[in-house]
Amino acid sequence: MDRAPAGAPSVHRGTPPVPNPLVGIAMKIASTAFFAVMMALVKMVAERMPLGEVVFARSFLGVIPVLVWLAMRGEVAAAWRTRRPFSHVMRAVAGTISMFFWFGSLARLPLPDATAINYAAPLITTALAALLLGEVVRAYRWSAVAVGFLGVVVVLSPHLSGLTKLSGDTGTIGAAMALGSAFFAALAMISIRRMSGTEHPGAIVFYFMMSASVMALATVPFGWVMPTPTEWGLLVAIGLLGGLGQVFLTLSYRYAEASVIAPFDYSSMLFVLILGFVLFGEVPTLAVLVGAAIVIGAGVFVIWRERRLGIQRARVRKASTPL
C-alpha cells in the first residue's frame, strides 16, 4: 500500500542529523496520516475514473514535493544519478502494478478491509527475502509469517464467497487486488533492498514516480475521462499528499532506526478507521478487527525479532574485531 504502496527507501546520504527517536516517530505517524487521507481521496475518485488516470496523478504530481525537498537539501542532482538502472526498472514495474491493484482495491472495499489485507506486504517481504536474497529466516520469524497470513485469511473470509459461487462480486475482486498489491509491494521492497547500498533515496523515489507516470500514461487509449473541477482538485491533492507522505517517511528514517519507527506504520489503521467512518459510513466487521490485530501482532514480532538479531550481530562483530 502507499503507506507506501510500494515500499520506501530507508537509507540516507550526507551527514545525518542528531538521532531523535521522538522526532522520527512523529514524522512516521505524519507520513501514515498523509497516506491515509490520500487513500480516502483515491476511494472517492477511483469508482468513476480509470485507475491509470488516478495512478498518473499520484505519481506525476507526487514528485513535486519530493523535488522541492531535494532542492532544499541541495540534492536534486543526486536524484538523477544511478548505478543500477535495471534495478530501477524492476522496482518501477513491481511498484506500479502494486499501485494499480491497491487503488483498485480501495474502489471496491471498505478502507479498513483493504488496509488490513495490505498489511501482508511486510510478511511477504520476509518470505521473499529468504527466497530471493538468501537472508536467513529462522523458525521464530517463519512462525510469525504463518500466523500473520492466518490473520489475512480471517480478513479475507467475508470476501471469499464470490470464489465459490464464481460470481466475481466486487468484494471478492477487491480482496484479490489488495492481496496482489501486497505481493507486488513486497517485490518492490526486495528491489529497494538491493539498491539501498548504492542508490540515493531521492533517485529511488524519483525514478519510480517518473516510471510509474509513464506506465500510467500508456493507459490513455483505454479511456481516460475529463475530470470535473472537484475531481481535478482531488487528483491534485492525491499527488501532493502522496509526495508529502514520501518525504516525511524518508525523513523519519534520518532521526530514528528503522526498527524503532517501523511499528508505527500500523498507526494507519487508526486513521483509516476514522476516515472510513466519517467519510463513507464504514464500520469494520469483527473479522476485519480480529484479522488486523493478528497481522499487526505478527508484523510487530517480526520487527522486534529482526531488531534483536541486529543487536546480536553487532555484538558478535564488536567481539570479533581485533584490538
Side-chain angles (χ1 to χ4, degrees), residues 146-158:
V147 171
F149 281 125
L150 176 62
V152 173
V153 172
V154 172
V155 179
L156 285 171
S157 58

Side-chain angles (χ1 to χ4, degrees), residues 63-73:
V63 81
I64 295 175
V66 175
L67 288 177
V68 171
W69 170 61
L70 290 172
M72 292 173 62
R73 292 177 50 81

Side-chain angles (χ1 to χ4, degrees), residues 186-263:
L187 283 178
M189 181 55 69
I190 293 296
S191 296
I192 290 173
R193 286 190 182 184
R194 286 173 170 167
M195 292 189 289
S196 62
T198 61
E199 303 296 283
H200 190 282
I204 295 175
V205 174
F206 176 77
Y207 280 111
F208 166 64
M209 290 188 173
M210 289 297 94
S211 299
S213 299
V214 172
M215 285 185 270
L217 200 59
T219 66
V220 170
F222 297 97
W224 283 21
V225 299
M226 177 59 67
T228 65
T230 299
E231 289 169 342
W232 273 117
L234 292 175
L235 290 174
V236 171
I238 286 169
L240 296 181
L241 285 169
L244 285 171
Q246 191 72 58
V247 170
F248 274 79
L249 178 62
T250 304
L251 283 172
S252 68
Y253 287 101
R254 293 177 57 81
Y255 286 93
E257 294 182 2
S259 58
V260 173
I261 62 176

Side-chain angles (χ1 to χ4, degrees), residues 63-138:
V63 81
I64 295 175
V66 175
L67 288 177
V68 171
W69 170 61
L70 290 172
M72 292 173 62
R73 292 177 50 81
E75 297 179 352
V76 173
W80 294 89
R81 291 194 296 266
T82 178
R83 299 179 185 177
R84 309 184 66 174
F86 182 72
S87 295
H88 283 288
V89 173
M90 297 280 291
R91 183 269 197 270
V93 171
T96 304
I97 294 174
S98 175
M99 195 184 302
F100 268 92
F101 279 158
W102 178 231
F103 287 1
S105 70
L106 291 175
R108 294 168 172 82
L109 291 176
L111 282 175
D113 298 50
T115 302
I117 296 171
N118 205 258
Y119 281 155
L123 303 174
I124 298 173
T125 301
T126 299
L128 291 180
L131 297 174
L132 301 180
L133 300 181
E135 293 186 5
V136 178
V137 179
R138 303 192 187 280

Side-chain angles (χ1 to χ4, degrees), residues 265-321:
D265 196 31
Y266 296 110
S267 64
S268 59
M269 179 56 76
L270 175 62
F271 294 124
V272 300
L273 286 172
I274 295 172
L275 290 169
F277 179 76
V278 172
L279 298 178
F280 308 105
E282 297 171 348
V283 178
T285 64
L286 180 62
V288 170
L289 294 176
V290 172
I294 294 173
V295 176
I296 291 172
V300 171
F301 178 83
V302 168
I303 294 167
W304 173 81
R305 184 64 181 171
E306 290 183 347
R307 176 175 172 81
R308 287 288 302 273
L309 291 174
I311 293 173
Q312 291 174 7
R313 286 192 291 266
R315 287 174 178 170
V316 170
R317 285 195 298 269
K318 183 176 181 180
S320 61
T321 301

